[in-house]
């Protein structure tokens, strides 16, 4: 038998045969092991019961499909504010440009929702808009980016701009909420995840220049949309208009039917007059 303490302990147990002598000399280790087993068993039962009564809920990253958020937008080139984006009536998706340069983030598919709700996703869906760390292409009024509306790092600002003669670079400034005063500046559109009441400015400015936030008018429109979403208003109007058209159509169809009924008495009257003449 081994000479270790464990070996001696096992040897004593074997030689005693579990009799009274062994029970009197039973080591403390035995009771400790039994206690641990009992505690572990009870703990597993308690945990299993708790887990059954409180099932784990998966964390949903917002905005989820069906969520409506609103974001203020602005574009700036060499310190000069650029025209507002023009809404595309043919666009079908969850990143809708509304009036006054407000973006409605309303995911309709998984690729627009949750962690995918980014500025990069919006740019990929909006006609004529392109953002990269080195180039900013802005669409004109018909949704097309031209040479005059495309800016590449290192280009010189025009003489008519605030920073004439200086070289510009692409940058994105964003304020996560209305309480944030100093913007976060980046060149990676994919890292700009949309939040409710967020403000975003796409800019081509000299190094060291902080882009200006969206106008107070745009922000006011965004805040107003939170209580009165534009899509809800548009939908209600469309339904009302359709109902009115249907009523007018029904009334028009009824009128000829009434005229036809009226014609029959006229025919009878004519026949009566003919009979009277023949009698004379």
């Amino acid at each position: 038998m081994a000479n270790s303490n464990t070996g001696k302990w096992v040897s004593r147990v074997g030689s005693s045969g579990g009799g009274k002598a062994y029970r009197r000399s039973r080591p403390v280790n035995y009771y400790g092991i039994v206690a641990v087993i009992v505690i572990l068993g009870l703990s597993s039962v308690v945990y299993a019961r708790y887990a059954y009564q409180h099932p784990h809920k998966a964390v949903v990253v917002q905005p989820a499909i069906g969520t409506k958020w609103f974001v203020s937008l602005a574009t700036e080139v060499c310190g000069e504010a650029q025209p507002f984006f023009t809404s595309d009536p043919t666009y079908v998706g969850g990143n809708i440009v509304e009036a006054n340069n407000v973006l409605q983030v309303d995911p309709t598919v998984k690729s627009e929702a949750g962690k995918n709700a980014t500025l990069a996703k919006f740019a990929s869906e909006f006609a004529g808009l392109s953002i990269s760390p080195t180039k900013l292409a802005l669409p004109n009024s018909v949704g097309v980016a031209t040479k005059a509306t495309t800016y590449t790092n290192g280009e010189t600002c025009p003489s008519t701009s605030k920073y004439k003669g200086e070289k510009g670079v692409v940058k994105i400034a964003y304020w996560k909420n209305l309480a944030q005063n100093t913007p976060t500046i980046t060149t990676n559109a994919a890292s700009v995840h949309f939040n409710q009441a967020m403000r975003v400015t796409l800019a081509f400015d000299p190094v060291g220049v902080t882009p200006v936030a969206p106008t107070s008018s745009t922000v006011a429109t965004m805040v107003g949309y939170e209580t009165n979403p534009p899509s809800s208003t548009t939908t209600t109007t469309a339904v009302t208009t359709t109902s009115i058209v249907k009523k007018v159509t029904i009334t028009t169809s009824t009128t000829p039917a009434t005229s036809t009924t009226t014609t029959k008495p006229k025919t009878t009257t004519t026949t009566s007059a003919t009979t009277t003449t023949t009698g004379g």
Side-chain angles (χ1 to χ4, degrees):
M1 186 60 63
N3 294 325
S4 64
N5 291 334
T6 304
K8 292 178 181 179
W9 178 61
V10 173
S11 178
R12 280 202 308 273
V13 172
S15 62
S16 65
K20 293 182 180 180
Y22 169 69
R23 285 196 294 272
R24 285 195 301 270
S25 62
R26 188 172 294 165
V28 177
N29 293 12
Y30 172 82
Y31 298 105
I33 293 173
V34 172
V36 169
I37 293 173
V38 171
I39 292 172
L40 289 177
L42 291 175
S43 298
S44 62
V45 171
V46 171
Y47 176 76
R49 187 171 184 274
Y50 176 84
Y52 176 77
Q53 294 177 341
H54 302 82
H56 176 71
K57 295 181 180 180
V59 177
V60 178
V61 180
Q62 294 294 338
I65 293 175
T67 300
K68 276 186 171 70
W69 283 356
F70 296 96
V71 175
S72 297
L73 299 176
T75 51
E76 178 179 302
V77 174
C78 295
E80 305 293 334
Q82 300 301 296
F84 287 174
F85 289 129
T86 303
S87 182
D88 181 2
T90 64
Y91 169 73
V92 177
N95 292 306
I96 307 165
V97 173
E98 302 289 355
N100 222 12
N101 231 24
V102 173
L103 172 64
Q104 179 178 233
V105 180
D106 182 9
T108 57
V109 292
K110 185 177 179 180
S111 61
E112 297 173 338
K115 64 181 181 180
N116 298 316
T118 65
L119 181 62
K121 182 60 178 176
F122 162 61
S124 70
E125 295 184 345
F126 193 73
L129 178 61
S130 178
I131 311 170
S132 78
T134 59
K135 183 180 290 187
L136 172 64
L138 301 175
N140 57 18
S141 59
V142 293
V144 177
T146 65
K147 184 177 180 180
T149 61
T150 301
Y151 308 91
T152 305
N153 284 359
E155 288 184 5
T156 303
C157 290
S159 58
T160 55
S161 68
K162 181 178 180 179
Y163 301 109
K164 60 182 180 180
E166 297 186 45
K167 293 182 179 180
V169 294
V170 175
K171 58 184 71 177
I172 303 166
Y174 64 95
W175 298 255
K176 289 185 177 181
N177 50 56
L178 295 178
Q180 183 178 346
N181 295 319
T182 304
T184 301
I185 298 179
T186 182
T187 59
N188 183 8
S191 69
V192 183
H193 183 271
F194 288 134
N195 290 327
Q196 174 67 299
M198 188 177 189
R199 293 170 290 165
V200 180
T201 297
L202 311 180
F204 180 78
D205 284 329
V207 174
V209 173
T210 301
V212 177
T215 65
S216 57
S217 173
T218 299
V219 172
T221 301
M222 174 187 70
V223 173
Y225 280 161
E226 291 180 8
T227 55
N228 185 24
S231 294
S232 299
T233 304
T234 303
T235 303
T236 302
T237 303
V239 171
T240 303
T241 303
T242 303
S243 300
I244 292 173
V245 171
K246 286 184 178 180
K247 288 180 181 179
V248 172
T249 303
I250 293 170
T251 303
T252 304
S253 300
T254 304
T255 302
T258 304
S259 299
T260 304
T261 305
T262 305
T263 304
K264 288 184 179 181
K266 286 183 180 180
T267 304
T268 304
T269 303
T270 303
T271 303
S272 177
T274 303
T275 303
T276 302
T277 302
T278 303

